[in-house]
Amino acid sequence: MRIRSLRKARGWSLDNLAERAGISPSQLSRIETGHRRISLDQLTAISGALGKSLDELVESPDDSDVVIRPDHDETRGLTTWLLTGDNGPQGLTVAKMRLTDQAGGVTPDDLGVHPGRDWFTVLSGTVVLYLGERVIRVETGQAASFSTMTPHAMRSDRGPAEVLVILDHNGERSHLHT
């Protein structure tokens, strides 16, 4: 079922994937419907054609707990909902963050740097982005993207703010793990 779902998500026909994997369409059809056991060489060819690792094709889905629980960090005034698993798409992490600390009182020690880029959009409230010497207000519905080699920090302004963030590996480690 996973192979079929991945094939259809790419808009490929049975013939398209079979040709890319170097197996016959009838074999692929029987594999997808569970009427044929898949051999390791077929699995390797199919995973390569789909651009997925063997682990991604054979891992058992753990749907026992589908609830995304928030992580509260009272000292930073931050609640985070991690929306991607350990390895998000292209190594990116997507998270929803609720900022409750108020803008003001930001010192140079509060500004961090790390390799990469950060991107966020404000879902509600207003975020104050400290970016080097600049102070930028980002309102509901607006987004920001910046090099994280520029010293940066963000705070809520006059009440809580919620943002959706996309972080690369360095950003995740820096922003989500204290």
Side-chain angles (χ1 to χ4, degrees), residues 4-173:
R4 182 183 192 142
S5 294
L6 289 168
R7 173 178 62 80
K8 288 188 170 221
R10 285 167 174 70
W12 294 351
S13 70
L14 199 65
D15 291 331
N16 293 139
L17 179 55
E19 182 180 329
R20 291 169 192 257
I23 61 177
S24 75
S26 62
Q27 282 181 323
L28 181 58
S29 175
R30 289 193 299 270
I31 290 168
E32 285 186 353
T33 58
H35 291 103
R36 179 185 171 113
R37 297 189 100 173
I38 190 169
S39 67
L40 183 57
D41 59 333
Q42 290 170 325
L43 183 62
T44 302
I46 292 168
S47 71
L50 290 169
K52 296 291 181 183
S53 70
L54 290 175
D55 290 346
E56 290 174 299
L57 286 185
V58 299
E59 71 182 346
S60 64
D62 182 12
D63 287 337
S64 59
D65 187 6
V66 297
V67 176
I68 298 171
R69 290 179 176 71
D71 178 37
H72 302 286
D73 185 341
E74 296 297 326
T75 59
R76 293 170 61 200
L78 182 66
T79 302
T80 305
W81 291 263
L82 193 57
L83 304 177
T84 53
D86 292 336
N87 293 313
Q90 288 83 40
L92 299 175
T93 298
V94 179
K96 177 183 174 189
M97 300 170 88
R98 180 177 173 86
L99 304 141
T100 56
D101 61 338
Q102 299 296 308
V106 173
T107 68
D109 291 340
D110 296 325
L111 303 177
V113 297
H114 56 85
R117 290 195 68 79
D118 281 359
W119 176 93
F120 70 88
T121 186
V122 180
L123 302 173
S124 66
T126 301
V127 170
V128 178
L129 172 63
Y130 298 87
L131 195 57
E133 303 274 325
R134 298 167 40 197
V135 178
I136 304 161
R137 291 175 50 84
V138 187
E139 306 283 342
T140 299
Q142 295 179 329
S145 176
F146 54 91
S147 167
T148 54
M149 289 305 290
T150 303
H152 61 282
M154 57 187 204
R155 303 283 189 263
S156 63
D157 185 34
R158 293 184 221 125
E162 292 189 348
V163 297
L164 187 66
V165 297
I166 298 177
L167 306 166
D168 63 11
H169 177 69
N170 294 312
E172 175 195 0
R173 191 174 63 238

